[in-house]
Amino acid sequence: DGGITQSPKYLFRKEGQNVTLSCEQNLNHDAMYWYRQDPGQGLRLIYYSQIVNDFQKGDIAEGYSVSREKKESFPLTVTSAQKNPTAFYLCASSTPGTGEKLFFGSGTQLSVL
Amino acid sequence: QKEVEQNSGPLSVPEGAIASLNCTYSDRGSQSFFWYRQYSGKSPELIMSIYSNGDKEDGRFTAQLNKASQYVSLLIRDSQPSDSATYLCAVNHREYGNKLVFGAGTILRVKS
C-alpha cells in the first residue's frame, strides 16, 4: 500500500541531545513537509522540500535541520538548540497540480526527559 | 486578523443532526481550501477539498466556499458519534509561498 511512514511513534529526548525523526513515502510525491503541532494549536510548518537536494525553511525552522538525499526520504533532526521540542511532529507529502493537497504520516510524539 | 480562523468549540450536536463548521481566511487570492479530520493522538486525514465558489458534496459531507466573503464551511449531515474529532481548515496563502496555512481546529462532539 502507498503511504507515508513515520518512525518512531514516540521519542524521548534528553537535554542537549539531537534526535532524528524518520519520514519515508512511496507515493512518488515530489514535495515533502514537516509540521509541528502543539496542543490546541494548528499545524506550523518547519521545513519543506519540493525536489531532491533542495529544501526551504518554514515558519519555525530554528532549532531544526533536514536533508533530502532521496525522493522517498525527508528526515528531521531536532537539535539541542530547540529549547521547547515537546510536540507532535507530522510529515506530509504532496504532488504538483493538486493545490498543495497534503497527505500525512501517522506522526511522532516527541517528549523531553 | 489571523490567516485562517476557526471557532475552537467544542461544538456539540446530537446524533443525526447537521454539524456546521466554519472557517474564515485573510488572503483574497487563496485558491485551494481543504478540510481535515483529526482524531485525538492521530494525524490529520483529508476529507474534503474545494477550489471554486459554491458547494461540493461527498457522501455526508458538503464543503461550501464563498471567496467574496472569504469564508469556507463544512457541513456534516446525519452526524455520528464517530464524527467526533477536531476539524482543521487549511488554505493556501500567497504570503507563505502558497503553502497551506492551518486553522487551530474546531472540536466536534456528537452525542448519542
Side-chain angles (χ1 to χ4, degrees):
Chain A
D1 288 336
I4 303 174
T5 301
Q6 287 188 243
S7 62
K9 188 175 176 70
Y10 300 99
L11 187 57
F12 297 91
R13 193 192 88 166
K14 296 179 181 179
E15 190 173 344
Q17 185 183 39
N18 293 350
V19 293
T20 297
L21 285 60
S22 171
C23 178
E24 303 276 335
Q25 57 102 356
N26 61 4
L27 299 169
N28 200 32
H29 285 174
D30 293 305
M32 297 186 74
Y33 309 78
W34 276 105
Y35 286 88
R36 168 179 172 143
Q37 187 176 34
D38 294 279
Q41 296 189 33
L43 280 63
R44 291 185 290 169
L45 183 62
I46 304 172
Y47 269 98
Y48 65 98
S49 168
Q50 295 179 304
I51 194 169
V52 173
N53 292 322
D54 188 43
F55 48 83
Q56 286 78 41
K57 293 181 179 180
D59 306 322
I60 55 166
E62 186 174 349
Y64 301 96
S65 66
V66 293
S67 63
R68 186 87 186 276
E69 297 177 1
K70 299 185 299 181
K71 185 175 183 178
E72 302 79 19
S73 179
F74 192 40
L76 173 74
T77 296
V78 183
T79 75
S80 57
Q82 173 49 247
K83 298 305 180 186
N84 185 23
T86 297
F88 190 47
Y89 290 85
L90 288 157
C91 179
S93 68
S94 70
T95 197
T98 62
E100 300 288 327
K101 184 186 293 185
L102 298 178
F103 296 91
F104 287 90
S106 57
T108 293
Q109 177 64 51
L110 175 61
S111 303
V112 176
L113 288 176
Chain B
Q1 181 188 4
K2 291 183 181 178
E3 291 85 1
V4 179
E5 289 201 69
Q6 298 180 253
N7 188 323
S8 61
L11 172 66
S12 292
V13 300
E15 184 175 357
I18 296 175
S20 178
L21 305 163
N22 305 316
C23 173
T24 58
Y25 59 95
S26 62
D27 181 7
R28 284 195 169 276
S30 294
Q31 298 291 327
S32 304
F33 307 86
F34 304 97
W35 283 99
Y36 288 85
R37 178 177 62 198
Q38 187 176 25
Y39 294 113
S40 181
K42 303 296 185 183
S43 62
E45 173 193 8
L46 179 67
I47 53 172
M48 288 291 288
S49 59
I50 187 166
Y51 303 96
S52 54
N53 277 329
D55 295 0
K56 179 182 178 182
E57 186 174 318
D58 184 0
R60 296 187 297 113
F61 299 100
T62 298
Q64 299 175 316
L65 176 60
N66 184 327
K67 289 186 178 180
S69 300
Q70 295 174 242
Y71 177 95
V72 57
S73 64
L74 178 70
L75 301 178
I76 307 175
R77 290 181 299 281
D78 188 23
S79 295
Q80 301 297 310
S82 59
D83 294 325
S84 298
T86 298
Y87 289 81
L88 302 171
C89 173
V91 180
N92 76 305
H93 200 291
R94 291 175 298 175
E95 185 177 336
Y96 298 93
N98 268 326
K99 295 294 171 284
L100 290 187
V101 177
F102 284 81
T106 298
I107 298 170
L108 174 66
R109 293 179 181 159
V110 181
K111 296 183 177 181
S112 58

